[in-house]
Amino acid sequence: MTTAPGRPWYSPSSLRNRLLMWLVVVHLLAAAGVAWFTYASYDRLIVTFKDDQMQMLADSYASNVAVPELRPADERSIFGRGAFVIQIWNGRGELLVSSWPALAVARQPAEGLSTVRMGSGDDGVWRIYSTAPVADADRFQVQVIQNGGFVRRLVAKRALSSTAPIALLLPLSLAVLWLVVWASSRKLRSVVLDVAAQDERSLSELSVSRVPDEIAPLVEAFNSLLGRLRQAFAAQRRFVQDAAHELRTPIAAIGLQLDNMRAEVPAESIAEHYTHLKGGVTRAQHLIEQLLRLSRQESSTEPEAPESLDVASVLRDSVAQLMVVADRRRIDIGFEGETSATVTAPPAELRSVFDNLIDNALRHSPEGGVVDVRLHEVEGRPVVDVLDNGPGIPPELIDRAFDRFFRVPGNPTEGSGLGLAIARMAALRNGLRIVLANRHDAQGRPAGLQARVHLRDHLRDHGVGRAA
């Protein structure tokens, strides 16, 4: 039985383990009960049969008118084959003849069966049948004796031969039970895999035909919950799309009007207010565009077909597209490709990952700063680093950096708080992982932020190149 790494081979909370354990216990108890019943039945049957034999033999010898000649018995036949020891007594209590004189069993005072112990263990126990004592010297009292250890061994042997088929069938029965339980739990595991494959863009119903009838109501209830979740997500996406579309046009109109008014702003103090107003409108336009992009990602039920993409080529395109933003803020941005890597993903989604990370770095770097994009290897695996020299993120807030609309308190940088959330969502869908870490200089002072994208495709080393 295989288990997931780090998990014990037996879990008391596992339905499969509990069911299998109880089935094994019940089968073992049933086998033990059958063995005990078989032994008890053979014990009663064989002991009764032997007692009847001793009684018939004793009555036969007691009816003789002369002392019969007995066939001598030896120890091997008595203990190994269960031969009877016969003693013949006269009316005066004298032992006339014995088939095994070495057995010194006294004459029994009454007719019937009795048991005498003359040694340790089962071989020291003797079963005796005695005819009635006689007073006439011409008549005989006969005692037929058999070793009790032989009878015990005979009972055990017969019982074992009868229960051997059951003992052989027990492992087979347990194996069949294990296979049945394993097959049933495998169906449940397939449902678990179907659930794990679901995401917010594809909440499809689970198949009920592959699960046992007892689990089907649970799956149907889960499907009903998925239906309600689909409706809730659809309503949320429609709201975001409708709100963004409704805001897009008036905000764009306000921006155009501000541009038209720029030449008519006379005083320097009014010009400063105009600049702040223009900056707010620009931020609102950026926020609306990010909301529309996020909504499209979440609502895309038929994503773009993945392709095998050269990461270095995608990074060069992203850097070139954002060069205008870097020039406007006089930021030195460059790309360094120390290795070559390919990723299988939809082109638009991979661009979304890198565009948002680079745009985030440009927004948080000071004017005249530096942003470096590097494709290199770390511990033999390809990674993409986007490095800026901005203020970084407080360590206690770095886990929240991917939350939607989250912005570091006190950070005056323009932004919507959606770029990292969009990048992470696209990365997770394509098997990539983004890790943020603060940078420090040689003196341990903050030196910016590093956004590292861990790639999971094959790598071929092609030397070093630099493009700016």
Side-chain angles (χ1 to χ4, degrees), residues 156-167:
K157 182 178 179 181
R158 298 301 183 192
L160 182 61
S161 63
S162 298
T163 56
I166 299 177

Side-chain angles (χ1 to χ4, degrees), residues 160-456:
L160 182 61
S161 63
S162 298
T163 56
I166 299 177
L168 295 176
L169 285 174
L170 182 60
L172 179 61
S173 176
L174 294 179
V176 171
L177 285 174
W178 186 88
L179 286 175
V180 171
V181 174
W182 177 82
S184 299
S185 61
R186 185 179 178 86
K187 293 181 179 180
L188 296 181
R189 285 197 298 272
S190 66
V191 175
V192 172
L193 294 177
D194 289 344
V195 174
Q198 304 276 358
D199 59 31
E200 66 277 6
R201 297 190 303 167
S202 59
L203 294 175
S204 58
E205 293 187 352
L206 306 176
S207 174
V208 184
S209 60
R210 294 184 297 170
V211 300
D213 293 341
E214 293 78 7
I215 308 297
L218 176 62
V219 177
E220 291 173 351
F222 188 76
N223 286 337
S224 177
L225 176 62
L226 288 179
R228 293 193 295 272
L229 283 176
R230 282 197 302 271
Q231 295 175 1
F233 283 139
Q236 179 186 11
R237 288 191 291 267
R238 284 196 301 270
F239 171 77
V240 173
Q241 288 179 345
D242 294 345
H245 278 292
E246 290 297 324
L247 290 172
R248 194 177 191 181
T249 300
I251 291 297
I254 293 175
L256 291 175
Q257 293 295 330
L258 286 174
D259 291 338
N260 295 333
M261 292 173 54
R262 181 65 185 91
E264 302 178 7
V265 177
E268 183 177 347
S269 59
I270 298 177
E272 182 178 356
H273 291 303
Y274 170 85
T275 302
H276 289 314
L277 180 59
K278 178 63 176 178
V281 172
T282 302
R283 286 194 298 272
Q285 289 176 322
H286 179 70
L287 173 60
I288 291 172
E289 293 299 327
Q290 293 284 63
L291 282 173
L292 285 174
R293 185 181 303 174
L294 181 65
S295 179
R296 292 191 190 102
Q297 283 189 353
E298 291 181 339
S299 61
S300 178
T301 57
E302 297 182 0
E304 185 181 359
E307 301 176 11
S308 181
L309 303 173
D310 179 62
V311 177
S313 177
V314 176
L315 288 172
R316 290 189 183 94
D317 291 343
S318 294
V319 171
Q321 180 177 338
L322 293 169
M323 191 69 72
V324 177
V325 179
D327 291 342
R328 188 168 61 241
R329 303 195 64 222
R330 295 179 293 107
I331 293 176
D332 178 18
I333 181 173
F335 168 67
E336 183 178 356
E338 299 179 5
T339 187
S340 176
T342 59
V343 168
T344 302
E349 295 209 346
L350 190 61
R351 280 290 303 272
S352 178
V353 173
F354 297 140
D355 285 354
N356 280 283
L357 292 179
I358 297 173
D359 180 72
N360 186 75
L362 292 173
R363 289 179 178 276
H364 289 83
S365 295
E367 288 197 12
V370 177
V371 171
D372 286 322
V373 181
R374 296 180 59 201
L375 172 60
H376 63 114
E377 289 186 18
V378 174
E379 297 180 353
R381 296 178 178 272
V383 298
V384 174
D385 286 342
V386 179
L387 311 171
D388 64 52
N389 61 345
I393 302 176
E396 65 274 10
L397 298 178
I398 205 163
D399 290 337
R400 296 190 55 199
F402 293 105
D403 294 347
R404 298 176 183 180
F405 301 107
F406 175 77
R407 300 184 65 196
V408 177
N411 191 339
T413 304
E414 296 181 0
S416 61
L418 288 175
L420 289 179
I422 295 173
R424 188 186 195 187
M425 183 183 301
L428 291 177
R429 278 198 299 269
N430 294 281
L432 311 178
R433 181 166 57 96
I434 303 175
V435 178
L436 301 181
N438 287 309
R439 303 169 58 212
H440 299 86
D441 58 17
Q443 288 74 34
R445 293 172 299 190
L449 184 71
Q450 170 188 280
R452 173 166 291 175
V453 182
H454 292 265
L455 309 175
R456 296 182 182 177

Side-chain angles (χ1 to χ4, degrees), residues 25-187:
V25 169
V26 168
H27 274 69
L28 291 177
L29 290 177
V34 169
W36 175 85
F37 178 78
T38 303
Y39 182 86
S41 299
Y42 272 102
D43 180 58
R44 184 169 59 253
L45 178 64
I46 292 176
V47 170
T48 302
F49 176 73
K50 292 296 183 182
D51 290 345
D52 291 342
Q53 277 188 317
M54 290 193 296
Q55 181 179 358
M56 293 174 61
L57 189 58
D59 291 341
S60 174
Y61 277 105
S63 63
N64 291 333
V65 295
V67 178
E69 182 179 352
L70 301 179
R71 182 179 179 179
D74 57 19
E75 184 174 345
R76 181 179 179 183
S77 63
I78 291 172
F79 290 99
R81 297 196 300 269
F84 294 119
V85 178
I86 301 173
Q87 295 177 340
I88 299 178
W89 305 74
N90 62 18
R92 293 188 296 271
E94 297 171 346
L95 178 61
L96 300 177
V97 64
S98 173
S99 62
W100 193 39
L103 182 61
V105 175
R107 187 179 66 144
Q108 301 302 304
E111 180 184 10
L113 293 164
S114 59
T115 302
V116 175
R117 176 174 286 279
M118 300 184 64
S120 60
D122 289 339
D123 286 343
V125 178
W126 299 88
R127 291 278 293 170
I128 304 172
Y129 180 82
S130 177
T131 60
V134 295
D136 190 347
D138 297 331
R139 300 188 62 189
F140 309 115
Q141 179 182 3
V142 179
Q143 291 188 159
V144 180
I145 308 168
Q146 189 174 39
N147 183 254
F150 168 78
V151 176
R152 293 295 101 195
R153 289 189 293 273
L154 180 61
V155 171
K157 182 178 179 181
R158 298 301 183 192
L160 182 61
S161 63
S162 298
T163 56
I166 299 177
L168 295 176
L169 285 174
L170 182 60
L172 179 61
S173 176
L174 294 179
V176 171
L177 285 174
W178 186 88
L179 286 175
V180 171
V181 174
W182 177 82
S184 299
S185 61
R186 185 179 178 86
K187 293 181 179 180

